Amino acid sequence: MLNWPGQNQTLSRHEGFRRAIPGTSAENVTMVIMACTCPVFLHMLLGVGHLPRNPQLGWRTTILWNAGKEASVLLVLGFVRLIINSLFNKTSNVFEYGKHWNFFFTIAVVKFSSTSLLQFTPIFLHKYLGFIVIFLHQAALSTTAVRSFASKGWFGDRSRKGFIDANREGLISTIGFIGFYFIGVNFGRFLMKNRETVGDWLKCLCTLLFVCCLSWMSLQVSNVLLGKPSRRLANLPYALSMICIITSGIVQHIIYDIVVACCRPVVQRDTYGDSDPDSKDDIRCLLLEAVNYNGLLFFLVANLLTGLVNLAIDTKLYSSGGAFFVLTVNYIHAPDAVVLIKQNSN
């Protein structure tokens, strides 16, 4: 778990599947929380599911209809997970998303709501929609009773009566994820610009380094002024923490790609001599191609496999070695499934 200054650290008495890594704490950034947020951000960064704005009413209707169909698939997955949890009497922490809500519902609402906002807001606002939504959401958390409602409910008795009260954590965090969606889309527009030379990518790297450093500094300031990151609230510190982690990872990958691009001519000359290196087929990684083909699908498959593990075994009884073995065997098959789906689609 990534602990921020002053945060209490808790360890589980179970050695294997530790309670320090779930996403149920009020104010922290855990591995499970990162595993839920990063696919959403990267999904938007790559432009998958992002629908452009079209001023014509007919095209707007078509775009909204397509977004509704895609969201309905996620809603079905959410209901399937809810039904399976009920049938197998699987316990879940209601303080994570609520009594009935789950992350599939969040993604569905985010997908349709963000597409609708793109269609009915001026084009010049599209670059700023993410920050506008996040800042308004944070303002509501800081100046109104939204934060109190998230922790205590309508009547302050922490009851779960009614749909809104029963799922208040999931509903409130969805607003923050909508802002996070737009930040990912605009980040992707910048990152996916056509760059043909190493110099162009060096300029991109410098910009990302500046954004990364600025995000880390802003996170420290927001921790003091606004509180710690909270996935249950999807507040501004949480959005900044995810931007910090994701941009840091992207910066590392770009540095690696630049080094490879600079070293590749030397390696090709030593390997192929005076022959044309372009005539040789590049070595392809099917795993990376499959994950890049549809990262959200990879996330869904891994999520389903995690559910199968929870249903099949009692995770509390496993040691560290046993837990590592189960998780390794489990997640080895997630990329395999995505590779097969991509190959069959071709």
Side-chain angles (χ1 to χ4, degrees), residues 186-219:
N186 288 312
F187 198 87
R189 286 175 177 171
F190 166 75
L191 198 59
M192 297 303 170
K193 287 181 179 179
N194 186 27
R195 297 179 177 89
E196 298 181 352
T197 64
V198 174
D200 293 337
W201 280 107
L202 285 173
K203 293 178 182 179
C204 174
L205 178 62
C206 293
T207 303
L208 289 176
L209 283 172
F210 173 76
V211 172
C212 186
C213 294
L214 182 62
S215 299
W216 280 109
M217 291 187 292
S218 301
L219 176 61

Side-chain angles (χ1 to χ4, degrees), residues 39 43 48 61 128 241 264:
H43 179 66
V48 180
T61 304
Y128 314 105
S241 66
R264 187 173 182 180

Side-chain angles (χ1 to χ4, degrees), residues 51 58-72 112 115-116 119:
L51 299 173
W59 281 104
R60 282 180 179 174
T61 304
T62 303
I63 289 173
L64 293 176
W65 173 254
N66 291 333
K69 288 193 295 184
E70 294 179 5
S72 64
F112 185 77
T115 303
S116 301
Q119 303 309 309

Side-chain angles (χ1 to χ4, degrees), residues 51-346:
L51 299 173
R53 180 183 185 275
N54 195 304
Q56 298 180 9
L57 181 60
W59 281 104
R60 282 180 179 174
T61 304
T62 303
I63 289 173
L64 293 176
W65 173 254
N66 291 333
K69 288 193 295 184
E70 294 179 5
S72 64
V73 175
L74 295 169
L75 288 175
V76 170
L77 291 174
F79 280 114
V80 168
R81 176 170 179 171
L82 179 61
I83 293 171
I84 291 176
N85 288 344
S86 301
L87 290 177
F88 288 92
N89 199 22
K90 181 179 178 295
T91 58
S92 58
N93 195 321
V94 295
F95 296 106
E96 186 175 2
Y97 290 103
K99 189 175 181 179
H100 313 105
W101 202 267
N102 58 58
F103 196 62
F104 291 113
F105 293 144
T106 297
I107 301 176
V109 174
V110 167
K111 198 171 190 65
F112 185 77
S113 300
S114 56
T115 303
S116 301
L117 281 174
L118 284 175
Q119 303 309 309
F120 297 102
T121 52
I123 295 179
F124 72 89
L125 282 180
H126 288 183
K127 292 182 179 180
Y128 314 105
L129 273 178
F131 293 102
I132 290 174
V133 174
I134 288 289
F135 279 113
L136 289 178
H137 180 57
Q138 180 60 52
L141 292 173
S142 301
T143 60
T144 66
V146 174
R147 183 185 293 269
S148 177
F149 166 69
S151 59
K152 300 180 180 179
W154 282 116
F155 304 104
D157 56 357
R158 303 181 187 275
S159 65
R160 296 284 171 175
K161 299 178 181 178
F163 176 80
I164 295 179
D165 228 1
N167 303 284
R168 53 183 180 266
E169 294 88 354
L171 294 173
I172 291 175
S173 64
T174 299
I175 302 174
F177 274 99
I178 292 174
F180 205 57
Y181 173 105
F182 289 120
I183 293 176
V185 169
N186 288 312
F187 198 87
R189 286 175 177 171
F190 166 75
L191 198 59
M192 297 303 170
K193 287 181 179 179
N194 186 27
R195 297 179 177 89
E196 298 181 352
T197 64
V198 174
D200 293 337
W201 280 107
L202 285 173
K203 293 178 182 179
C204 174
L205 178 62
C206 293
T207 303
L208 289 176
L209 283 172
F210 173 76
V211 172
C212 186
C213 294
L214 182 62
S215 299
W216 280 109
M217 291 187 292
S218 301
L219 176 61
Q220 300 305 316
V221 175
S222 67
N223 283 339
V224 176
L225 299 179
L226 303 175
K228 299 179 181 65
S230 172
R231 204 285 309 154
R232 285 175 11 190
L233 299 175
N235 55 1
L236 179 60
Y238 172 74
L240 288 173
S241 66
M242 290 295 99
I243 293 173
C244 291
I245 294 170
I246 293 171
T247 52
S248 298
I250 293 175
V251 164
Q252 294 175 28
H253 285 292
I254 291 180
I255 292 175
Y256 170 79
D257 287 340
I258 291 176
V259 172
V260 170
C262 293
C263 296
R264 187 173 182 180
V266 178
V267 175
Q268 286 180 335
R269 192 183 313 115
D270 294 339
T271 304
Y272 301 122
D274 297 331
S275 62
D276 184 11
D278 294 332
S279 62
K280 308 294 182 181
D281 293 332
D282 290 336
I283 299 176
R284 299 185 307 158
C285 179
L286 293 178
L287 174 60
L288 292 178
E289 284 189 354
V291 174
N292 288 334
Y293 172 71
N294 197 332
L296 187 59
L297 176 62
F298 178 76
F299 166 72
L300 296 178
V301 172
N303 196 283
L304 292 175
L305 291 175
T306 302
L308 290 176
V309 170
N310 292 332
L311 291 173
I313 64 176
D314 187 355
T315 58
K316 296 179 181 179
L317 302 179
Y318 275 70
S319 64
S320 297
F324 177 78
F325 175 78
V326 171
L327 292 176
T328 301
V329 173
N330 180 49
Y331 289 115
I332 279 176
H333 296 290
D336 292 342
V338 179
V339 169
L340 289 175
I341 292 173
K342 182 180 184 297
Q343 289 179 339
N344 291 333
S345 65
N346 294 334

